[in-house]
Amino acid sequence: MDIYLQLALSGLFIGGIYALISVGLTLVFGVLRVVNFAHGEYLTIAMFMTYFLFHTAGLDPFLASVIVVPLMFLLGLVTERLLIRPTLDAPHVVQVFVTFALSVFLQNVLLALFTSDFRSVRTAYATAAFQIGPLYVSWLRLAAFLAAIALAVGIALFLKYSYMGSAIRATAQDRRSARLVGINVDRVYAITFALGCALVGAAGVLLSPLFPVNPYTGADMILVAFVIVVLGGMGSIGGAVLAGLMIGVVESFSSYFLGGEMKQFVYFICFMLILAIRPVGFFGRKGAEVMDVT
Amino acid sequence: MSLSKPGMSRRVASGLLIGVPAATLLSRRTIAQEVIKIGAIFPLTGANSVFGNQNFQGVDIAVDLVNERGGVKGRKVALFKGDGHNPQGAISETNRLMSREGVRIFVGSSTSAAGMVGSQEAERNGAFYWEGMAVANGYSERGFKHAFRVGLNASGLGQPAPLYAAEVVAPLLKIDPKNLKVAVIAEDSAFGTDVSKAAIEQAEKLGIRIGLKELYSARTTDLSPLVLKLRSLAPDVIIATQFINDAILLQRQMKEMGFAPKAFIGTSAGHSTISFAEAIGKDVNGIFSSSFPLEANPASLTAATRADLEEFTKRYKAKYNVTPAVQESLGFVVGLSLLRDIVANASDVTAPALREAAVKADVPVGSYINGWGMKLDEKGQNQRAFGSVVQWQDQRMIPVYPQASKLKEPIMVPLPAWNAR
Amino acid sequence: MLNVRDLSVRYGDVLALEKLSFSVDAGQIIGLVGSNGAGKSTTLAAISGLVKGRTGHVDLAGQDLTSLAAHDIVAQGIVHVPEGRRLFPFMTVQENLELGAYGRAARVRREEQLDYVFTLLPKLAERRQQLAVTLSGGEQQMVAIGRGLMSCPKLLMLDEPTLGLAPMLVEEIFRLVRAIRDNGVPVLIVEQQVVHVLECADYAYVLESGHCVMQGNGRDLLQDDGLRRAYLGL
């Protein structure tokens, strides 16, 4: 019994981080209808920023978030203005090409700047853990999980209750109508894209003390985020959180009972089964047209 | 599954971005007729690029050194980069270098995935392939005429760990090797599966029982299920074949869950890297890593080789600004063995002539900076390459096995508690 | 108050609207009628800033709107209720209405306007927590108009508000249009229900392939034989 609890706990913890990475991706897709293939590289960039703040200024990763997350937001604004906005009316294949090219470009820039060495943020509390009965709980993973869930809930509340949030939802549901009620849709796009980057930036900060980073770290992690976005329903934040946690738990159990090399296989099986039963994902709606924050 | 495709073509694209300009640059610099062209197939981008670049840079220094000493029989050597970041990349880059640059001699490859296909393309086109790092046993089992391996095969890399466990660790633990409880874990690529298989076979020969054998993906973000399994088995020794990030993750998660074996022996490639030590700090102390030899005991080297070692270290630091470690010195050995002991002794630079020189080569142990010599068997495998075991002591790698290259006695057996290392 | 001069719109090679000029004054209902493709909806979209490639001049009470973006035009007081309602389907009635008052100026008076819309359209008050997508066509049209009113517009533009509605509802929509005018907001309405719109319009323009072919008082136009033949089949 203990083992089940421990596995579930580990799965939920990592699932929370998956969810946070996916929330940004699904938000951008839901509003701009752009699949951002460079999302993983933004994760990598945030991890590098955290690493350098830690190593040069001695800044704790959790404190570094105060700098990294706004910088990522800014980077998102710039990217949107320079690369995404000019292609918004272009065919989908052009947008795919643009974000894909951006991903390759960023990887190579990072490679040129930092080589492919792995770099680690090593904090004193990196491996601190406490025990509840038979369960081992890593402080860091617990904190990362809580922060990830808090951010996901925060973003859902922001979308539901703020002016900008309702403008974002309105734009996702009908961009023409959004214009007609006086929403500056270009601004909504910019802010949404920047928010997506800030969220993945936050995920990067939280991951930094857990994983070493090199220019390909984000690319390696982003596959699972794409699975989660589709599984949760393209554009659905609640769906992304649920699917993220689910994938985390499925991975954890399958690597224990079937072996670690089977876990991707198992979650792809789940993925295909769920999509066969519910093609739009957990909370997706017909044609992936709608963003929902429930 | 189609989701994995973007990643693949992304790597191809990035390979082109990096590989092409570098190669053209070199080709312009060395247009002289008599230049000997060497193609270097390494993963220069992507997940394995850490090793790829370190290996390549080692080869690069060897080429520099040979050129400065007057080249090979008066001819300069030019190195052409090919990015073998995945099998497709290795195939296309090998072919590109052959058709576009006229390369007929290759070195490689850091990963078995690249080495297996790169050598196949070369063989098909009658070119010569000199492997140094890829360890897949299958490399030398294909009956190729012009593919040789100066480095270790998987057996060579996997065998020292159980040998060391039986010969040194078990006595220190005061356990009969036959009663030693061993868990073997490995990442699930060809590297991990082959090396761990070799380790298991060797262990079984020694009568050691394997309590757990477990594979996992190196890209994993959470190894706690594996740690739980290990904890419930409570092995005396863990033998692990891992890359860097997963090696780091495992140590951190074992610590989180308050679990440690009595001894931990990595079989590379992650455990002998500086990144690994930097990531876990003092927790690295006491961990063994069997791998390609780090440094040879100077007493076992010839005088000329000692000079090479000094020269290599000096040049590497000057060119790349870091102290070379295992993979860099391996690259140097691979480059130097090819140029000094094969190409220079061949009647010309065609594959058959190089083969003749390779079969004839008889280089005594201690002739290369890592202590190796060279005698290639009929399958093309070097019989004078051997693995070694290092231990992290005071956050530095110290050779402890085999006897010839041993610098210090092993410490921390059994491993102390996590905070006492 | 709204002045449109020489408004032209080009979609690629096609001239959808050519040099249209008209005006809307305070207290008026102005009708735009014509067959499909005559350029009626294009006219509204050009005024509200939704289409690119427009030329000509548009001003509201002397304020030049020609080069403004759609959201700025809303802020200036022109609200366009599009054809097919185009509500935000997965938001509640109340959220849809509140978004109508998104502009900075309108936000301040949001609660007040919400009360006004609910008095004007009491049925919506009962459905305020219902998702827009679950409403009937007539109710959706009410929400669409209500959403338009939320920003305290100086001019309301309705595109085919009765499309697909049952006759009883059509009557209701036109009663609502008159009520809006009587409460001080002029209405520019595009309709295929020619008789209804001409009966209710103070002045109307008849469009044909992007040109204005006839104009006049609604009731006078209804008496015109040419128009009766062309649009009413009489």
Side-chain angles (χ1 to χ4, degrees):
Chain A
M1 192 60 218
D2 299 348
I3 207 85
Y4 292 93
L5 282 174
Q6 184 77 57
L7 286 171
L9 204 62
S10 305
L12 282 177
F13 284 1
I14 197 70
I17 304 213
Y18 289 167
L20 187 56
I21 299 174
S22 312
V23 164
L25 193 62
T26 210
L27 183 66
V28 169
F29 176 79
V31 179
L32 284 81
R33 293 297 125 92
V34 170
V35 177
N36 183 11
F37 283 101
H39 200 66
E41 279 61 49
Y42 286 91
L43 182 76
T44 315
I45 291 173
M47 289 178 78
F48 269 111
M49 284 185 187
T50 314
Y51 171 83
F52 282 109
L53 285 171
F54 179 78
H55 272 266
T56 56
L59 220 55
D60 182 88
F62 284 90
L63 280 177
S65 67
V66 182
I67 297 171
V68 174
V69 173
L71 277 178
M72 291 302 295
F73 187 88
L74 216 63
L75 187 62
L77 283 181
V78 173
T79 313
E80 196 276 340
R81 189 72 195 81
L82 295 181
L83 289 175
I84 308 296
R85 194 177 302 177
T87 58
L88 276 177
D89 294 326
H92 265 301
V93 56
V94 175
Q95 294 163 3
V96 167
F97 182 78
V98 166
T99 61
F100 197 69
L102 177 65
S103 149
V104 173
F105 173 75
L106 290 175
Q107 274 184 17
N108 282 289
V109 168
L110 291 170
L111 194 63
L113 289 176
F114 308 125
T115 74
S116 51
D117 287 346
F118 282 97
R119 290 156 201 264
S120 298
V121 169
R122 181 157 50 88
T123 56
Y125 53 77
T127 49
F130 63 94
Q131 244 180 309
I132 314 180
L135 296 182
Y136 285 82
V137 184
S138 149
W139 279 110
L140 200 55
R141 284 176 184 256
L142 175 64
F145 169 78
L146 292 177
I149 295 303
L151 277 169
V153 170
I155 206 79
L157 293 176
F158 165 78
L159 288 172
K160 184 86 183 159
Y161 294 110
S162 74
Y163 274 101
M164 192 26 104
S166 28
I168 290 174
R169 284 190 300 145
T171 307
Q173 293 184 17
D174 191 328
R175 35 173 103 169
R176 192 177 159 96
S177 282
R179 285 209 163 89
L180 291 179
V181 297
I183 293 170
N184 182 347
V185 169
D186 284 339
R187 192 155 159 261
V188 166
Y189 287 157
I191 288 181
T192 307
F193 194 86
L195 262 181
C197 291
L199 284 169
V200 80
V205 169
L206 294 173
L207 278 173
S208 289
L210 291 172
F211 301 110
V213 60
N214 85 346
Y216 303 102
T217 306
D220 284 347
M221 285 195 191
I222 212 64
L223 177 65
V224 71
F226 280 116
V227 169
I228 288 166
V229 166
V230 175
L231 202 54
M234 309 272 283
S236 164
I237 288 176
V241 172
L242 187 67
L245 297 178
M246 193 201 87
I247 293 279
V249 173
V250 166
E251 271 191 3
S252 177
F253 277 85
S254 61
S255 37
Y256 188 84
F257 290 105
L258 301 171
E261 82 272 33
M262 297 296 283
K263 74 178 184 186
Q264 274 200 341
F265 177 72
V266 171
Y267 79 62
F268 269 108
I269 296 265
C270 291
F271 176 68
M272 286 185 279
L273 278 180
I274 290 169
L275 289 192
I277 297 162
R278 202 175 150 70
V280 293
F282 291 152
F283 295 146
R285 283 167 174 144
K286 196 171 44 122
E289 279 161 348
V290 169
M291 198 178 62
D292 164 87
V293 290
T294 46
Chain B
M1 291 294 163
S2 68
L3 277 173
S4 67
K5 276 185 185 149
M8 214 111 80
S9 38
R10 171 199 321 240
R11 299 268 156 86
V12 173
S14 57
L16 291 175
L17 283 177
I18 291 285
V20 173
T24 12
L25 225 158
L26 275 168
S27 69
R28 278 200 205 115
R29 198 177 358 138
T30 56
I31 34 170
Q33 273 273 305
E34 71 275 17
V35 152
I36 297 173
K37 295 173 177 175
I38 308 281
I41 304 295
F42 290 101
L44 300 171
T45 60
N48 292 307
S49 52
V50 182
F51 303 118
N53 284 291
Q54 292 172 346
N55 291 154
F56 173 80
Q57 287 160 7
V59 174
D60 188 38
I61 297 290
V63 169
D64 283 356
L65 188 66
V66 167
N67 278 336
E68 214 152 295
R69 289 176 177 172
V72 177
K73 291 195 272 193
R75 295 169 69 177
K76 290 276 178 217
V77 178
L79 200 54
F80 291 80
K81 273 184 183 180
D83 187 5
H85 50 89
N86 63 12
Q88 290 89 328
I91 290 174
S92 62
E93 290 286 276
T94 309
N95 282 305
R96 180 179 67 81
L97 292 178
M98 284 190 285
S99 59
R100 293 263 298 274
E101 310 291 349
V103 169
R104 311 298 298 163
I105 306 172
F106 290 91
V107 294
S109 317
S110 302
T111 65
S112 297
M116 292 294 276
V117 297
S119 55
Q120 184 172 319
E121 291 307 300
E123 178 80 9
R124 230 156 41 92
N125 291 285
F128 187 80
Y129 206 94
W130 191 246
E131 182 57 67
M133 303 86 186
V135 297
N137 286 330
Y139 180 88
S140 44
E141 301 294 335
R142 299 174 295 181
F144 285 4
K145 289 189 86 71
H146 306 119
F148 291 84
R149 175 160 52 200
V150 67
L152 296 171
N153 56 16
S155 313
L157 195 57
Q159 282 159 353
L163 281 171
Y164 191 70
E167 286 175 29
V168 181
V169 175
L172 283 172
L173 292 173
K174 302 185 176 65
I175 301 175
D176 179 356
K178 296 203 164 33
N179 296 329
L180 211 55
K181 235 193 299 177
V182 174
V184 174
I185 59 173
E187 61 84 31
D188 63 0
S189 78
F191 170 70
T193 41
D194 271 17
V195 174
S196 62
K197 208 170 121 219
I200 289 171
E201 283 167 8
Q202 181 65 48
E204 280 165 354
K205 262 187 231 163
L206 296 162
I208 297 174
R209 282 178 308 114
I210 304 298
L212 173 73
K213 190 201 167 199
E214 183 84 6
L215 296 173
Y216 64 87
S217 158
R219 287 181 173 191
T220 192
T221 43
D222 183 17
L223 284 173
S224 52
L226 176 60
V227 176
L228 289 175
K229 267 193 198 180
L230 290 169
R231 198 175 61 185
S232 61
L233 178 77
D236 300 311
V237 178
I238 293 176
I239 295 177
T241 310
Q242 304 184 289
F243 289 128
I244 299 175
N245 53 335
D246 49 326
I248 294 169
L249 193 59
L250 179 67
Q251 295 298 330
R252 285 184 170 175
Q253 292 200 294
M254 287 200 304
K255 186 175 181 183
E256 275 168 18
M257 297 198 165
F259 163 74
K262 296 197 180 80
F264 189 100
I265 309 177
T267 64
S268 297
H271 314 98
S272 358
T273 61
I274 306 293
S275 304
F276 177 63
E278 276 175 355
I280 63 173
K282 283 195 162 149
D283 295 335
V284 82
N285 291 333
I287 291 176
F288 294 102
S289 174
S290 88
S291 90
F292 288 88
L294 168 67
E295 53 185 308
N297 190 333
S300 70
L301 299 180
T302 65
T305 306
R306 279 201 293 272
D308 283 351
L309 177 60
E310 210 169 288
E311 190 72 10
F312 165 68
T313 311
K314 195 181 77 192
R315 283 169 179 267
Y316 197 95
K317 273 186 192 164
K319 189 156 181 177
Y320 295 109
N321 237 340
V322 287
T323 308
V326 177
Q327 298 294 331
E328 295 86 333
S329 80
L330 178 59
F332 180 79
V333 168
V334 171
L336 194 69
S337 58
L338 172 66
L339 295 173
R340 190 190 68 190
D341 300 323
I342 305 291
V343 181
N345 295 334
S347 50
D348 57 46
V349 291
T350 60
L354 291 166
R355 177 186 163 77
E356 213 186 312
V359 174
K360 268 196 244 154
D362 185 358
V363 183
V365 166
S367 301
Y368 300 115
I369 61 170
N370 62 3
W372 290 355
M374 177 165 63
K375 180 73 200 160
L376 296 154
D377 67 12
E378 71 285 358
K379 289 175 174 172
Q381 173 62 41
N382 184 7
Q383 297 301 300
R384 291 182 189 158
F386 48 83
S388 77
V389 177
V390 296
Q391 186 181 39
W392 288 94
Q393 297 185 4
D394 213 7
Q395 301 181 51
R396 295 208 337 259
M397 281 181 269
I398 307 294
V400 291
Y401 183 88
Q403 207 59 37
S405 42
K406 179 168 158 183
L407 289 184
K408 281 189 187 171
E409 290 299 321
I411 56 166
M412 295 189 177
V413 182
L415 278 170
W418 280 104
N419 290 322
R421 293 187 185 174
Chain C
M1 60 192 306
L2 176 76
N3 273 303
V4 175
R5 246 189 4 260
D6 295 337
L7 187 64
S8 300
V9 174
R10 186 176 274 287
Y11 294 123
D13 289 340
V14 184
L15 201 58
L17 200 62
E18 191 175 9
K19 297 207 174 223
L20 182 67
S21 299
F22 67 95
S23 61
V24 181
D25 287 324
Q28 279 189 326
I29 293 173
I30 300 296
L32 286 182
V33 295
S35 55
N36 259 335
K40 310 183 301 281
S41 294
T42 302
T43 307
L44 297 197
I47 296 171
S48 62
L50 282 184
V51 292
K52 289 175 181 146
R54 67 201 145 119
T55 57
H57 182 87
V58 179
D59 75 65
L60 184 72
Q63 181 87 32
D64 186 2
L65 306 181
T66 317
S67 56
L68 293 186
H71 61 270
D72 290 324
I73 290 174
V74 175
Q76 291 299 323
I78 297 183
V79 169
H80 176 181
V81 179
E83 182 183 341
R85 350 294 183 213
R86 309 283 297 247
L87 298 180
F88 303 115
F90 299 101
M91 293 192 187
T92 63
V93 168
Q94 176 151 352
E95 283 178 306
N96 266 280
L97 292 174
E98 284 174 351
L99 270 165
Y102 185 78
R104 216 165 280 278
R107 255 178 234 183
V108 191
R109 297 171 57 186
R110 197 172 79 173
E111 295 311 310
E112 197 180 310
Q113 277 307 102
L114 202 58
D115 287 344
Y116 166 64
V117 169
F118 283 146
T119 352
L120 201 63
L121 300 161
K123 266 192 205 161
L124 297 189
E126 301 161 20
R127 306 208 177 267
R128 60 203 294 167
Q129 293 309 328
Q130 210 168 314
L131 287 188
V133 70
T134 65
L135 298 179
S136 70
E139 289 164 340
Q140 287 193 4
Q141 188 60 55
M142 303 285 178
V143 177
I145 294 175
R147 186 176 68 185
L149 290 172
M150 285 296 292
S151 68
C152 317
K154 294 180 188 140
L155 169 70
L156 190 65
M157 304 195 296
L158 303 179
D159 194 350
E160 306 274 9
T162 66
L163 194 70
L165 297 189
M168 263 184 49
L169 287 169
V170 173
E171 296 288 346
E172 205 177 324
I173 295 288
F174 278 102
R175 268 201 298 280
L176 179 61
V177 170
R178 287 196 190 90
I180 291 168
R181 184 223 14 221
D182 296 342
N183 287 341
V185 178
V187 180
L188 175 59
I189 181 168
V190 160
E191 256 304 342
Q192 294 202 351
Q193 300 276 358
V194 176
V195 178
H196 276 101
V197 79
L198 291 182
E199 273 176 355
C200 128
D202 298 298
Y203 202 79
Y205 299 83
V206 181
L207 300 189
E208 218 167 79
S209 358
H211 297 269
C212 174
V213 292
M214 207 185 289
Q215 56 177 284
N217 177 293
R219 289 185 190 282
D220 292 347
L221 284 177
L222 262 183
Q223 304 309 314
D224 185 277
D225 285 346
L227 184 126
R228 289 168 69 91
R229 260 198 305 279
Y231 297 99
L232 306 175
L234 297 174

